[in-house]
Amino acid sequence: MELSASFRLLWTISVVLLGHTEARPRPVLRVSSHSWPAEGDSVTLSCEVRHTSLNWTFLWYRAVPSRRACLSRQNSADVRYRGNTYSVKLLSDSSRGAGGSYTLSPAAFQHTGLYVCRAERGDPAYQTEFSDVEALWVTGLSPPASLVIRPNRAQLFESESVSLSCEVQDNSTGWRLRWSTNREEESDCPRNWRSEAGPTCSSGSTSVWDRGVYWCESESGQHSNAVNITFNSRPRPVLRVSSHSWPAEGDSVTLSCEVRHTSLDWTFLWYRAVPFRTVPYRRNSADVRYRGNTYSVMLLSDSSRGAGGSYTLSPAALQHTGLYVCRAEGGDPTYQTEFSYVEALWVTGLSPPASLVIRPNRAQLFESESVSLSCEVQDNSTGWRLRWSTDREEESDCPRDWRSEAGPTCSSSSTSVWDRGVYWCESESGQHSNAVNITFNSRPRPVLRVSSHSWPAEGDSVTLSCEVRHTSLDWTFLWYRAVPFRTVPYRWNSADVRYRGNTYSVELLSDSSRGAGGSYTLSPASLEHTGLYVCRAEGGDPTYQTEFSDVKSLWVTGE
């Protein structure tokens, strides 16, 4: 029986609505200009519902300790903050439509607390989720007590020794440390901290879970200044070699060390990484790891501690070849960062006795590309062999799964990304050739685009463009039509492509332009140009071909 037109319309509308139901939005609450104003300042809370074009009005709440004995109930008027459940209490002067802002002016002690907002619209009213909870701490101009932090900074680090004390300005008593962190408790000091006279809480094993707001509070409800203390993960500096890691003898080389995202004034220490003499690897000892091996660190005798995080080797000499590490220290008492990751430096002689020859002659290679590495000796010395430093370093004549040939030469037609690393030639007497950092990238897939759109009219000009990103090879391009696949099953690595769940064969276009800058133009476009198109690129000597691009459809419309 045929459905009526009105019924079909209602059914279609219901499907569209049900199929496009979006998650209930959650507004973003912000406190300006900061969450710890002084008494008398003006503080504005702003509430925003992002990524919607609707006109919202806003409701403002205080979050107060929840009286319920159980956890927050789904869809109840409860919110969560740092692991605890709070009820929400609508502010009596809650302004519903003032542009999403709520101002406290002047701010007073009683404004200290937790705030939440939500938005609503329509009739009947549709309400958003509650925003995340934001804390506001109002400090008196002359608080009766002060929170003293040792070391004297609000940015602290994991495992750093710290103490927090309440220094009372008058003779009042009953003061104790209070906090609002991810693991809030009702005790004299945070978990795993020591309680001392003062009142003071101290710890030598802080963690990122201790980050939060700390203040002092008396039995009568007076409180000190509040401080937002961050306990960040132990930082690891970033070590760089300029301008590259394979300078020639006599060049000037600068190592730079940088600690990011911290405000502490750091000084720097510089080390050589030398072969590790003892086993097993000791956790937290002065050891570092590089390409699966363990090394000890040796402080450089001329290590410059404060020269802006740089260490210069000028002129670079053969004995500077090696592995380098840095670390930073700062604060009082001194706090040290992790060691940086290891960076290799290879200094090449002006006339090395041997040369590493790569075929094909480039340092950027690709997965499954045929490659050979040879040591060409300039004199009559013997005992040369290929050496390498990769993610799978081994003690053998050639890397794993490579063939060993006379020369000495190592070759492979099944390289992988795990073969990327530094290669060089070395003699039994310790002489070495130039070193080359070779990358074995994944087989690239070009990107095919249709300009200006995929549905031109008959007679328009249409250009297909093909691009291979993030490679330095000079590519030429091949253009294909994707046609229905005649045989099954789908053959892996065959000249077939997939489009919308179906398999297609590729058919090289007879006028395929191989070198026209990665573009193929149809002008004028005609109805028979409608179809599926693919491109691929090739380059190098011997020729290496990329994957096929994704399939693009072209639909030419008659006039």
Side-chain angles (χ1 to χ4, degrees):
M1 183 176 69
E2 187 176 352
L3 297 175
S4 68
S6 59
F7 185 88
R8 288 200 305 271
L9 177 60
L10 290 173
W11 181 83
T12 302
I13 292 173
S14 65
V15 169
V16 170
L17 290 177
L18 289 173
H20 291 79
T21 300
E22 295 182 354
R24 198 176 184 189
R26 182 187 296 276
V28 177
L29 175 62
R30 289 195 177 90
V31 181
S32 67
S33 58
H34 56 82
S35 301
W36 303 274
E39 190 179 18
D41 288 348
S42 178
V43 181
T44 299
L45 309 179
S46 65
C47 195
E48 178 189 6
V49 183
R50 296 175 174 172
H51 313 305
T52 72
S53 57
L54 300 173
N55 291 323
W56 298 96
T57 56
F58 296 89
L59 303 172
W60 305 89
Y61 303 84
R62 287 283 288 267
V64 295
S66 180
R67 305 300 181 204
R68 297 177 174 86
C70 59
L71 293 176
S72 172
R73 297 172 301 170
Q74 184 74 14
N75 294 325
S76 67
D78 303 324
V79 292
R80 301 280 290 174
Y81 181 68
R82 298 191 183 279
N84 297 314
T85 303
Y86 293 82
S87 295
V88 294
K89 181 181 177 184
L90 185 67
L91 297 179
S92 58
D93 59 342
S94 178
S95 174
R96 290 173 175 257
S101 65
Y102 181 88
T103 301
L104 302 169
S105 184
F109 284 134
Q110 61 266 30
H111 290 138
T112 292
L114 304 176
Y115 289 82
V116 189
C117 73
R118 82 184 325 174
E120 64 177 20
R121 66 174 178 85
D123 184 18
Y126 171 82
Q127 291 186 325
T128 67
E129 299 277 3
F130 289 105
S131 70
D132 291 332
V133 177
E134 287 290 335
L136 176 67
W137 309 87
V138 182
T139 303
L141 297 177
S142 299
S146 297
L147 175 65
V148 177
I149 310 170
R150 296 182 179 86
N152 186 23
R153 48 191 162 84
Q155 185 187 55
L156 299 169
F157 301 99
E158 250 183 341
S159 303
E160 184 171 12
S161 296
V162 61
S163 71
L164 305 178
S165 302
C166 298
E167 293 194 355
V168 183
Q169 315 303 328
D170 52 23
N171 295 323
S172 59
T173 58
W175 288 86
R176 55 163 288 197
L177 182 69
R178 292 295 306 276
W179 60 94
S180 177
T181 68
N182 282 326
R183 53 183 191 184
E184 191 162 358
E185 303 169 40
E186 285 298 324
S187 56
D188 289 337
C189 290
R191 187 189 309 171
N192 299 328
W193 290 47
R194 296 184 304 275
S195 180
E196 303 172 9
T200 296
C201 295
S202 62
S203 175
S205 59
T206 54
S207 76
V208 293
W209 298 102
D210 290 309
R211 64 178 59 169
V213 178
Y214 292 79
W215 70 99
C216 300
E217 190 171 299
S218 70
E219 293 175 347
S220 62
Q222 294 177 298
H223 61 79
S224 71
N225 59 308
V227 182
N228 186 26
I229 303 177
T230 60
F231 290 89
N232 295 330
S233 300
R234 193 175 188 183
R236 183 186 297 276
V238 177
L239 175 62
R240 288 195 177 91
V241 181
S242 68
S243 56
H244 57 81
S245 302
W246 304 273
E249 191 176 15
D251 288 348
S252 178
V253 180
T254 298
L255 309 180
S256 64
C257 195
E258 178 190 7
V259 184
R260 297 173 175 172
H261 313 305
T262 71
S263 56
L264 197 61
D265 289 329
W266 299 100
T267 55
F268 296 89
L269 304 171
W270 305 90
Y271 303 82
R272 286 285 287 267
V274 295
F276 190 56
R277 303 303 181 195
T278 60
V279 292
Y281 172 62
R282 294 166 299 165
R283 184 167 182 81
N284 292 326
S285 65
D287 307 322
V288 292
R289 301 279 290 175
Y290 182 68
R291 298 193 183 278
N293 297 315
T294 304
Y295 294 82
S296 295
V297 294
M298 184 173 69
L299 185 67
L300 297 179
S301 58
D302 59 342
S303 179
S304 174
R305 290 173 175 254
S310 64
Y311 182 87
T312 301
L313 302 168
S314 185
L318 295 180
Q319 63 266 28
H320 290 139
T321 293
L323 305 176
Y324 289 82
V325 189
C326 73
R327 85 183 321 175
E329 61 181 23
D332 184 17
T334 299
Y335 177 82
Q336 288 188 324
T337 67
E338 299 276 7
F339 289 104
S340 70
Y341 291 121
V342 177
E343 286 290 334
L345 176 68
W346 310 87
V347 181
T348 303
L350 296 178
S351 300
S355 298
L356 175 65
V357 177
I358 310 170
R359 296 181 178 88
N361 186 22
R362 48 190 162 85
Q364 186 187 56
L365 300 168
F366 301 98
E367 252 183 340
S368 302
E369 185 171 11
S370 295
V371 61
S372 72
L373 304 178
S374 301
C375 298
E376 294 194 355
V377 183
Q378 314 303 329
D379 53 23
N380 295 322
S381 58
T382 58
W384 287 87
R385 55 163 290 197
L386 181 69
R387 293 295 307 275
W388 61 93
S389 178
T390 68
D391 285 331
R392 55 182 191 184
E393 190 161 357
E394 303 170 38
E395 284 298 323
S396 56
D397 289 337
C398 291
R400 186 190 310 171
D401 300 326
W402 289 46
R403 297 183 303 277
S404 179
E405 304 172 8
T409 295
C410 294
S411 62
S412 175
S413 58
S414 59
T415 54
S416 75
V417 293
W418 298 103
D419 290 309
R420 65 179 60 170
V422 180
Y423 292 79
W424 70 100
C425 299
E426 190 171 298
S427 70
E428 293 175 348
S429 61
Q431 294 178 296
H432 61 81
S433 70
N434 59 310
V436 182
N437 186 26
I438 303 177
T439 60
F440 290 89
N441 295 328
S442 300
R443 194 175 188 182
R445 180 187 296 276
V447 177
L448 175 62
R449 288 193 177 92
V450 181
S451 67
S452 56
H453 56 81
S454 302
W455 304 275
E458 194 174 15
D460 288 348
S461 178
V462 180
T463 298
L464 309 180
S465 64
C466 194
E467 178 189 6
V468 183
R469 297 173 176 173
H470 314 305
T471 72
S472 57
L473 196 62
D474 290 330
W475 300 99
T476 56
F477 297 89
L478 303 172
W479 305 90
Y480 302 83
R481 288 284 289 266
V483 296
F485 190 55
R486 303 303 181 194
T487 60
V488 291
Y490 172 63
R491 294 166 299 164
W492 185 251
N493 287 330
S494 66
D496 306 322
V497 293
R498 301 280 290 174
Y499 181 67
R500 298 190 184 279
N502 297 314
T503 304
Y504 294 81
S505 294
V506 294
E507 183 180 85
L508 185 66
L509 297 179
S510 58
D511 59 343
S512 178
S513 175
R514 290 172 175 258
S519 63
Y520 182 87
T521 301
L522 302 169
S523 183
S526 60
L527 294 179
E528 61 265 23
H529 289 138
T530 292
L532 304 176
Y533 289 83
V534 189
C535 73
R536 85 183 321 176
E538 61 180 24
D541 184 17
T543 300
Y544 177 83
Q545 289 188 323
T546 67
E547 300 276 5
F548 288 105
S549 71
D550 290 332
V551 177
K552 286 288 180 182
S553 59
L554 177 66
W555 307 89
V556 181
T557 305
E559 293 182 352

